[in-house]
């Protein structure tokens, strides 16, 4: 039977080899590029010891559960949470109970065990272990050009027809609107964003603590992607932010609204940030903007700003261990704040 314990520095090569076997060469290379940043430099990991559990059989590594420690505000209390991320079991050892032992070991050590954007096998295992199923996190798309509605699996003639028919609607949705407050591009999050988090955190029944240290780690020093950051300002104070980037997808150019924070009870604030993103997306020649949002207030403002809700594949499970919560806590997620920036979804 395998033994489970914490990651040690000399496990690196064994873990990399297993990662290549389970996820393939490209994913393994991408993981290698992120590894130091993702596991050692996380500010919620002050000892710099990666929060990774390893399954060993003698000298062989047959599984791992690699996680991202985060502080989570849950109904006004701070809990030591953990995103489960790169979980894997050697192909010849799968479906023999090892995954379950890894999931349970992780769960025993953390105040809240959280999973986002799961593979089919891990989602089924979470279900089998009866983790509360909270997701998926709703996905929203705002079309900016007639190319936004193209589908690669449709014939050219159908794509042209759909583009022509929907163009008037796209033109109305995508029209430029004035900004109601000042928005400024920033390079780093200063301490005022920690204060902003302190001011707003009680508005969310569930949200990862978005203090300056976390935000700078996640969105300024990530080695694999470059983000733009816009700060929303009122009376010389930072009262919100949006993190975004532009990329090419097979269906066209997309602007991803990766993360944001503003007062959900201040529609003018968040909609100003959205109007800023509209301009940036248009300047980058994007065909559409995509965002994920769980909070009902933010969802409402997204819809009013021309976003349409589309099918989401971002499954979300959460299990709170550190404090007592009733089962209906997991059902009423209207005041939970989750975005594409949570866990390691944007990679
Ligand atoms: C997810 C994973 C770690 C589970 O490890 P495991 O040792 O196979 O899991 P266990 O044997 O403890 O549990 C098996 C249960 O997991 C689920 N499961 C695992 N593999 C599955 C698969 N290929 N298809 C469907 N369900 C699967 C089922 O609920 C299964 O229960 P069952 O055997 O009674 O049907 C392993 O399948 C794996 O490495 N998958 C590939 C990598 C991956 O997808 N990682 C997740 C990234 S989010």
């Amino acid at each position: 039977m395998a033994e489970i314990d914490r990651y040690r520095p000399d496990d690196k090569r064994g873990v990399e080899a297993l990662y290549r076997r389970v996820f393939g060469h490209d994913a393994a290379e991408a993981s290698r590029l992120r590894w130091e940043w993702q596991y050692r430099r996380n500010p919620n990991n002050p000892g710099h010891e990666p929060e990774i559990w390893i399954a060993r059989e003698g000298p062989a590594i047959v599984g791992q559960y690699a996680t991202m420690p985060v502080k989570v505000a849950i109904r006004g209390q701070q809990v030591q949470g953990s995103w489960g991320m790169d979980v894997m079991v050697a192909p010849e050892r799968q479906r023999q109970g090892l995954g379950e032992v890894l999931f349970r070991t992780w769960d025993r050590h953390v105040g809240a065990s959280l999973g986002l954007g799961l593979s089919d096998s891990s989602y089924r295992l979470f279900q089998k272990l009866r983790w509360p199923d909270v997701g998926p996190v709703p996905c929203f798309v705002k079309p900016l050009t007639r190319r936004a509605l193209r589908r690669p699996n449709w014939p050219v003639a159908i794509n042209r027809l759909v583009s022509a028919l929907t163009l008037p609607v796209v033109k109305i949705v995508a029209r430029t609107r004035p900004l109601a407050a000042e928005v400024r591009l920033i390079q780093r999050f200063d301490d005022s964003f920690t204060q902003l988090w302190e001011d707003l955190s009680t508005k969310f029944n569930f949200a990862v603590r978005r203090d300056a240290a976390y935000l700078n780690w996640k969105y300024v020093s990530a080695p694999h992607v470059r983000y733009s950051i816009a700060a929303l300002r009122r009376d010389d104070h930072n009262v919100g932010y949006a993190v975004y980037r532009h990329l090419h997808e097979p269906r066209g150019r997309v602007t991803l609204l990766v993360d944001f924070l503003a007062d959900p009870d201040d529609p003018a604030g968040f909609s100003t940030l959205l109007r800023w993103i509209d301009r940036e997306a248009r300047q980058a020649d994007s065909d559409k903007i995509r965002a994920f949002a769980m909070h009902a207030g933010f969802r409402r403002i997204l819809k009013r700003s021309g976003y349409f809700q589309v099918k989401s594949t971002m499954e979300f499970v959460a299990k709170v261990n550190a404090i007592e919560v009733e089962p209906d806590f997991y059902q009423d997620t209207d005041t939970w704040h989750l975005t594409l920036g949570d866990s390691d979804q944007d990679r």
Side-chain angles (χ1 to χ4, degrees), residues 116-117 135-142 210 219 243 247 249 254-261 270 274 289-296 298-300 302 307-316 336-342 345-346:
L116 195 62
V137 180
C139 179
F140 296 85
V141 169
K142 176 165 183 167
R210 285 156 160 82
Y219 303 119
V243 176
L247 74 158
E249 286 186 347
V254 182
T255 295
L256 290 180
L257 172 51
V258 176
D259 191 35
F260 54 86
L261 184 66
F270 184 46
L274 293 177
I289 310 170
R290 188 181 303 126
F292 288 80
M294 194 116 191
H295 193 287
F298 294 138
R299 283 190 276 132
R300 217 168 11 248
L302 282 162
Y307 286 75
F308 296 91
Q309 190 166 346
V310 299
K311 187 174 167 2
S312 171
T313 50
M314 203 155 96
E315 296 298 345
F316 173 37
W336 292 35
H337 184 39
L338 270 110
T339 65
L340 177 63
D342 279 303
Q345 281 303 286
D346 188 29

Side-chain angles (χ1 to χ4, degrees), residues 22-23 64 84-91 93-103 116-128:
V22 174
F23 294 107
Q64 81 151 3
M85 296 182 308
D86 283 329
V87 57
M88 60 186 175
V89 166
R93 301 291 280 110
Q94 290 179 9
R95 304 294 280 257
Q96 296 165 31
L98 200 47
E100 176 170 346
V101 179
L102 280 165
F103 278 48
L116 195 62
L118 312 165
S119 73
D120 193 43
S121 51
S122 69
Y123 182 53
R124 279 167 196 252
L125 183 48
F126 273 121
Q127 281 183 319
K128 188 179 169 187

